Amino acid sequence: MMQVTMIGEDYEQDIAPLLKSFYPKEEINIKKYQTETEQALSTETTLVLRLFLDRFKVSLYEDAILTKSEEEILSEYPLTRSIYRNALLRVLYQLLSDYTKEALPWGIMTGIRPTKQVLERLEDGVTEEDIVKYLKEEYYCSDEKIALSLNVAKREHEILKDLSYQNGHSIYIGIPFCPSTCHYCSFTSYPLERSQHLVEPYLMALTKEMEYASTCLEKPLSTIYVGGGTPTTLSAKQLEYLLTKVDHYFGIKGLKELTVEAGRPDSITREKLKVLKDFGVSRISINPQSMRQKTLDLIGRKHTATQIEEAFYLAREIGHDNINMDIIIGLSGENPSDVIYTLDRIKSMNPDSLTVHTLAIKRAARLNTQKEQYKDMEAVRVIDMLAETVKFAKENSYDPYYLYRQKNMAENLENVGYARHGKEGIYNILIMEEKQTILALGAGGSSKFVFHKENRIERVENVKSVIDYTERIDEMIQRKKDFLRNSVKDL
């Protein structure tokens, strides 16, 4: 366990992710005090942070003996919280990097949107040279991650230049049902075999929220993303009902993009794929995660690797010409050779885009709640796995077009979306770079309202439980109404 004592100002939420990046397997215990007292220090203390208005001191202890201490006085005016935070994190990073002999590829950049600042600077006309200097000096990012961020941001800039995103909005529709729950998953999802009776009432409530969503904003609609869960867990008839309502309330033909997560191959049928095609769905995902059968079995996937290929070729046969595939690196028991095997199988299918996720285990995921069961099955050489995906993408004409990060990611890495030219997921860019208001409909939906003039974002959330959402749908709608009553004019 790492024991941290914080005296003075409260920066727990800022330092905790950085500490976890250096010590991913350690429990981090942070004790906070307003003033320094004798009880604040103990023989267990590893780090002491003394944080005052315009200065701070960071001290590192080993076996109760002071090994290193750094102090900094800040002269910037006005001294904002972000300036103080980054200065503190740089000192803490340098101290821990020297002590552990480790360097983090993203430096002190622990947020989930590393390209957001890069894209904003490109849009403001800042030169690439100045952006590189900024990321190096402000965040200690590695050359490799700076190059990746720039490449992604430039691609995003090119894709968005003809989209009047500030004057539009997008919609996310959540279908929280799955064939079964994967062991790494912490999303709101309900295995269908136990939740079949909830589907029809849920769709009725969702229809009611869609009806409201079609009237609450005057901005034109850019994209719709139907995610989950696994939307294709719905029957063909239910999918047809859902898309009929989507078309009725929003008009599919006028969209820049309509994506449906087909996801699990054990939820895909010819009839469902035809429904998606007939309604003009422009982009689907069929997600292997891994092509190793032993891995699929271990993570709770109730299908075979062969079914993935069958579902993909069936989608092609029906006419789907923009298919994404997701894989996860860092899955239990895997090593780089397993990732190479998965990529080889994907190469033969030749999808239009490939999204590479690095495993991030959330608290509610089975891989965490039952971690003793998987303790001898940790993935090895995850950085090498990532290198194989980068190589594969380059050799097969997939360019990176969006990226994001999550807490507790293996090796402090990232998720990257690759696509061939013209096959990018526009919604992915809009949501990750927070470029546009997103109305999120369904259980667990978190609507994000972007106020461009004020550089401000506000969220309005729906309840996560399907039962609560269905029973309280009027309240979910009222939450948005109450928020927009005084805010819609500023969006």
Side-chain angles (χ1 to χ4, degrees):
M1 176 190 289
M2 169 174 271
Q3 180 67 53
V4 181
T5 298
M6 183 182 296
I7 303 164
E9 302 296 316
D10 185 0
Y11 281 82
E12 178 180 3
Q13 298 303 314
D14 302 294
I15 68 166
L18 185 62
L19 295 175
K20 202 65 179 174
S21 296
F22 277 105
Y23 298 97
K25 296 180 181 179
E26 293 281 342
E27 181 183 345
I28 311 292
N29 184 24
I30 300 177
K31 293 183 178 180
K32 295 178 287 186
Y33 301 89
Q34 289 294 316
T35 58
E36 189 155 5
T37 64
E38 289 188 12
Q39 72 179 58
L41 303 178
S42 72
T43 56
E44 295 179 349
T45 299
T46 309
L47 271 172
V48 175
L49 290 82
R50 296 174 173 86
L51 311 178
F52 305 109
L53 291 178
D54 62 348
R55 60 192 171 88
F56 57 81
K57 185 176 183 180
V58 181
S59 304
L60 177 66
Y61 292 81
E62 187 173 11
D63 297 327
I65 299 173
L66 179 66
T67 59
K68 192 166 185 180
S69 185
E70 295 288 345
E71 186 170 6
E72 188 165 327
I73 299 174
L74 301 169
S75 58
E76 287 89 341
Y77 182 82
L79 180 56
T80 64
R81 183 177 177 87
S82 62
I83 291 174
Y84 190 107
R85 176 197 65 218
N86 285 0
L88 172 64
L89 291 177
R90 284 193 296 271
V91 168
L92 184 58
Y93 175 91
Q94 199 62 62
L95 190 148
L96 292 175
S97 182
D98 291 345
Y99 181 71
T100 62
K101 310 303 181 189
E102 295 281 344
L104 303 179
W106 287 100
I108 68 167
M109 191 174 278
T110 57
I112 68 172
R113 296 178 175 83
T115 53
K116 184 177 180 180
Q117 294 192 52
V118 181
L119 180 57
E120 288 174 349
R121 281 168 168 74
L122 285 175
E123 291 176 331
D124 289 340
V126 179
T127 66
E128 289 187 29
E129 183 181 357
D130 284 342
I131 292 173
V132 170
K133 182 180 179 183
Y134 172 75
L135 293 177
K136 271 183 173 294
E137 295 180 355
E138 185 74 8
Y139 292 101
Y140 294 168
C141 289
S142 67
D143 291 339
E144 177 191 3
K145 300 308 178 188
I146 291 174
L148 174 61
S149 296
L150 264 173
N151 285 340
V152 169
K154 286 191 288 186
R155 187 99 180 271
E156 290 175 330
H157 188 48
E158 183 68 21
I159 293 166
L160 295 180
K161 70 178 184 180
D162 296 324
L163 180 68
S164 183
Y165 55 82
Q166 292 191 12
N167 297 317
H169 74 289
S170 289
I171 286 177
Y172 175 87
I173 298 174
I175 305 297
F177 302 100
C178 278
S180 62
T181 301
C182 301
H183 296 173
Y184 56 78
C185 184
S186 64
F187 287 114
T188 301
S189 67
Y190 290 75
L192 193 64
E193 61 182 20
R194 299 201 306 266
S195 308
Q196 183 71 60
H197 63 289
L198 300 175
V199 177
E200 290 292 340
Y202 180 79
L203 289 176
M204 294 304 102
L206 184 61
T207 300
K208 195 169 187 178
E209 193 176 21
M210 282 195 285
E211 180 179 13
Y212 165 71
S214 69
T215 64
C216 68
L217 293 177
E218 294 182 0
K219 292 169 175 277
L221 186 58
S222 303
T223 70
I224 295 178
Y225 192 103
V226 184
T230 306
T232 44
T233 302
L234 300 178
S235 68
K237 185 177 180 180
Q238 290 165 339
L239 267 178
E240 184 175 1
Y241 169 84
L242 175 66
L243 291 172
T244 297
K245 293 302 180 182
V246 168
D247 191 32
H248 174 72
Y249 290 121
F250 306 117
I252 290 174
K253 287 185 179 179
L255 298 173
K256 296 284 187 183
E257 174 185 275
L258 171 56
T259 297
V260 175
E261 287 268 3
R264 295 272 294 262
D266 46 341
S267 72
I268 295 172
T269 66
R270 176 182 293 274
E271 190 178 4
K272 293 178 188 179
L273 288 170
K274 192 171 185 309
V275 168
L276 299 181
K277 184 64 181 175
D278 289 347
F279 273 90
V281 171
S282 55
R283 184 174 180 272
I284 65 171
S285 283
I286 298 172
N287 302 328
Q289 313 308 4
S290 173
M291 293 298 290
R292 283 287 193 201
Q293 190 60 51
K294 64 177 183 179
T295 303
L296 295 175
D297 295 340
L298 187 63
I299 64 177
R301 288 257 173 166
K302 307 297 184 182
H303 62 79
T304 66
T306 301
Q307 282 179 279
I308 297 167
E309 293 170 322
E310 291 171 348
F312 181 88
Y313 290 123
L314 183 58
R316 283 290 200 227
E317 178 188 329
I318 287 170
H320 290 280
D321 59 3
N322 192 353
I323 304 176
N324 173 71
M325 302 194 93
D326 283 9
I327 67 170
I328 299 176
I329 61 172
L331 288 169
S332 299
E334 290 210 334
N335 60 50
S337 67
D338 295 302
V339 173
I340 292 171
Y341 175 82
T342 290
L343 293 171
D344 284 344
R345 295 276 294 267
I346 287 175
K347 182 177 181 179
S348 66
M349 289 181 274
N350 195 29
D352 305 283
S353 57
L354 174 71
T355 306
V356 179
H357 298 272
T358 303
L359 183 66
I361 300 177
K362 303 293 183 67
R363 281 183 299 177
R366 182 172 172 179
L367 288 180
N368 185 52
T369 60
Q370 300 179 22
K371 55 188 173 185
E372 285 299 312
Q373 183 178 336
Y374 301 95
K375 66 180 180 179
D376 297 324
M377 304 178 192
E378 287 189 7
V380 295
R381 296 165 52 204
V382 180
I383 290 179
D384 293 337
M385 294 181 185
L386 183 68
E388 291 294 340
T389 66
V390 173
K391 177 184 175 185
F392 175 86
K394 188 173 183 179
E395 290 176 349
N396 292 277
S397 302
Y398 297 106
D399 295 319
Y401 76 95
Y402 87 106
L403 75 86
Y404 68 102
R405 304 181 65 224
Q406 295 167 279
K407 291 182 179 178
N408 304 322
M409 295 191 83
E411 303 292 345
N412 194 38
L413 297 173
E414 66 275 344
N415 303 321
V416 183
Y418 297 93
R420 295 194 172 126
H421 183 73
K423 301 295 186 178
E424 304 87 356
I426 298 171
Y427 174 89
N428 291 331
I429 299 173
L430 294 172
I431 186 70
M432 284 304 153
E433 303 304 342
E434 299 181 320
K435 286 296 183 184
Q436 193 178 67
T437 289
I438 309 284
L439 285 176
L441 315 181
S446 179
S447 295
K448 187 182 296 184
F449 297 93
V450 181
F451 296 85
H452 293 282
K453 293 179 181 178
E454 304 169 37
N455 194 26
R456 176 170 64 91
I457 293 172
E458 299 284 350
R459 290 172 173 80
V460 178
E461 297 185 348
N462 286 345
V463 292
K464 292 184 178 181
S465 162
V466 164
I467 295 173
D468 287 345
Y469 172 81
T470 302
E471 293 177 349
R472 298 164 57 189
I473 185 58
D474 291 335
E475 179 189 336
M476 300 305 101
I477 292 170
Q478 193 62 46
R479 287 182 182 183
K480 294 181 179 66
K481 285 183 177 179
D482 290 344
F483 174 80
L484 288 170
R485 186 176 295 113
N486 298 318
S487 304
V488 68
K489 64 182 184 299
D490 299 319
L491 284 172

